[in-house]
Amino acid sequence: MKALVYRGPGKKQLEDMPKPVLREATDAVVRMTKTTICGTDLHILKGDLPTVMAGRILGHEGIGIIEEAGTGVSRFRKGDRVLISCITACGKCEYCRRGMPSHCELGGWILGNTIDGTQAEFVRIPFADTSLYLIPQDADEDAMVMLSDILPTGYECGVLNGAVKPGDTVAIIGAGPVGLSTLLTTQFFAPANIMVIDLDDNRLEVAKKFGATTVINSTDGKAVEKVMAMTSGKGVDVAIEAVGVAATFGLCQEIVGAGGHIANIGVHGASVTLHLEKLWSQNITITTRLVDAVTTPLLLKTVMAGRLQPTQLVTHHFALADILKAYDTFGNAGREHALKVILNSK
């Protein structure tokens, strides 16, 4: 089969790889129909995640059709259309039972990380019963791909961890796909104001269309000044970091108000400075989280009801055979006006 293979920092290739086979009775092999590229994949290519070894097939998102199911799989059968969660959950360990399958003792974020992932024609899914979702018959397939990772990530790591509530002033730093997913799901809780801060005017225009009440281009270095002016010097109730670099985490610390929340979503590959000399007395809550994807059923129902429309996030389509071009497009998002790219295996 064809697959996108990581060959070390800065190196990736579309290669012929062996088709996966069942290893455990609880496995399923899925024939991929659609997948996508995540910002985390770009972090991997930079060498930010040492758990990803050369030779690994990348990707942790997508949908497909059950090609083969192990004898221990009871919820799915050959031919079922399924949504692949970015988090593999055994459903039985301590962490899964605590609602934190991101730290599953036998799973967690393993696809495209410690086992081969979804940017391929076929993928093996461990613990299929608790790591896949049946796709409704009339579902939009592009929308389903967005439910693999970015929507639950934005909602869980940003909105829920940030404890957004009605009337809040929320600042989302980063208007990439995860930041925009956070913007869409933040509106479930009716905040009074949602500021989106980014360096890219095109993405900020998209944020306006998605419901941002204020957008700020931070290129001039005056984002803090502007936020403070708009909040009468008090700062925001919730600052959500959706980039994964020191500068944006620092910005969150400068604009959060007393009693506020800083919710980190971004994947950080280097250390950042925590200014406790300023924050220690401010009753600030700082949260980190790896998405657990426990809200996928809720989000799926919301999408199917038409209350959440994640296809807005899709800007480009490619064939799997053109995945290297897709990576170039996604990696040069500002120039290409790219958000999420869909890779079709058909």
Side-chain angles (χ1 to χ4, degrees):
M1 69 169 184
K2 295 292 185 182
L4 193 283
V5 183
Y6 172 68
R7 289 297 176 191
K11 300 176 183 178
K12 60 187 183 300
Q13 296 180 136
L14 183 64
E15 300 182 17
D16 288 312
M17 297 290 283
K19 179 181 171 183
V21 297
L22 299 175
R23 295 186 183 179
E24 305 290 342
T26 50
D27 288 352
V29 172
V30 176
R31 174 168 58 84
M32 297 298 300
T33 53
K34 291 178 183 283
T35 185
T36 186
I37 302 168
C38 180
T40 303
D41 297 320
L42 300 185
H43 280 282
I44 291 170
L45 287 168
K46 291 177 184 177
D48 288 345
L49 283 88
T51 53
V52 184
M53 306 299 292
R56 177 68 61 228
I57 297 172
L58 296 185
H60 51 268
E61 303 165 86
I63 63 172
I65 297 170
I66 299 286
E67 177 83 359
E68 187 177 6
T71 56
V73 176
S74 60
R75 296 182 61 194
F76 304 99
R77 60 185 181 183
K78 183 174 182 177
D80 283 345
R81 285 196 312 159
V82 291
L83 162 66
I84 298 168
S85 175
C86 63
I87 297 298
T88 300
C90 76
K92 297 178 181 179
C93 73
E94 175 188 353
Y95 292 110
C96 284
R97 292 173 71 87
R98 285 168 54 186
M100 200 166 64
S102 59
H103 291 269
C104 174
E105 293 173 1
L106 298 172
W109 173 43
I110 56 175
L111 288 172
N113 179 11
T114 58
I115 69 170
D116 287 335
T118 59
Q119 291 171 11
E121 292 180 296
F122 295 88
V123 62
R124 179 180 69 90
I125 304 296
F127 306 109
D129 276 342
T130 43
S131 304
L132 298 173
Y133 296 89
L134 196 64
I135 295 177
Q137 188 172 359
D138 56 346
D140 183 288
E141 291 194 340
D142 285 1
M144 295 297 101
V145 176
M146 301 301 104
L147 287 167
S148 281
D149 183 355
I150 61 169
L151 278 170
T153 294
Y155 185 52
E156 295 175 11
C157 305
V159 181
L160 296 184
N161 265 22
V164 176
K165 59 186 183 298
D168 274 352
T169 295
V170 178
I172 300 168
I173 295 83
V178 170
L180 292 172
S181 296
T182 306
L183 170 61
L184 290 173
T185 54
T186 294
Q187 294 169 69
F188 292 169
F189 293 91
N193 295 289
I194 310 172
M195 304 176 182
V196 176
I197 303 171
D198 201 278
L199 300 168
D200 188 306
D201 281 330
N202 175 67
R203 287 189 165 186
L204 291 173
E205 284 300 314
V206 173
K208 283 184 184 178
K209 295 176 184 176
F210 284 14
T213 54
T214 304
V215 295
I216 298 172
N217 188 310
S218 56
T219 306
D220 60 6
K222 296 182 179 180
V224 174
E225 180 182 328
K226 292 174 183 177
V227 170
M228 288 305 182
M230 285 185 277
T231 58
S232 302
K234 294 181 178 179
V236 301
D237 300 300
V238 184
I240 300 173
E241 199 286 328
V243 181
V245 297
T248 48
F249 189 77
L251 178 57
C252 287
Q253 296 179 68
E254 292 188 76
I255 64 175
V256 68
H261 297 258
I262 297 174
N264 182 83
I265 304 176
V267 177
H268 290 268
S271 63
V272 303
T273 300
L274 178 61
H275 290 287
L276 277 180
E277 76 279 7
K278 296 179 180 179
L279 299 178
W280 72 271
S281 62
Q282 297 301 300
N283 295 38
I284 304 300
T285 300
I286 300 175
T287 58
T288 67
R289 185 171 181 174
L290 180 61
V291 62
D292 292 294
V294 291
T295 62
T296 302
L298 176 155
L299 294 167
L300 177 57
K301 287 192 289 185
T302 308
V303 170
M304 294 307 298
R307 301 298 297 274
L308 184 61
Q309 298 175 338
T311 52
Q312 300 173 91
L313 295 162
V314 178
T315 55
H316 293 74
H317 288 81
F318 295 90
L320 181 64
D322 295 323
I323 192 169
L324 295 178
K325 182 178 179 182
Y327 261 93
D328 287 341
T329 298
F330 187 68
N332 293 282
R335 184 188 70 201
E336 301 292 343
H337 292 181
L339 293 173
K340 289 296 279 185
V341 303
I342 294 288
L343 293 152
N344 297 286
S345 297
K346 296 177 181 178

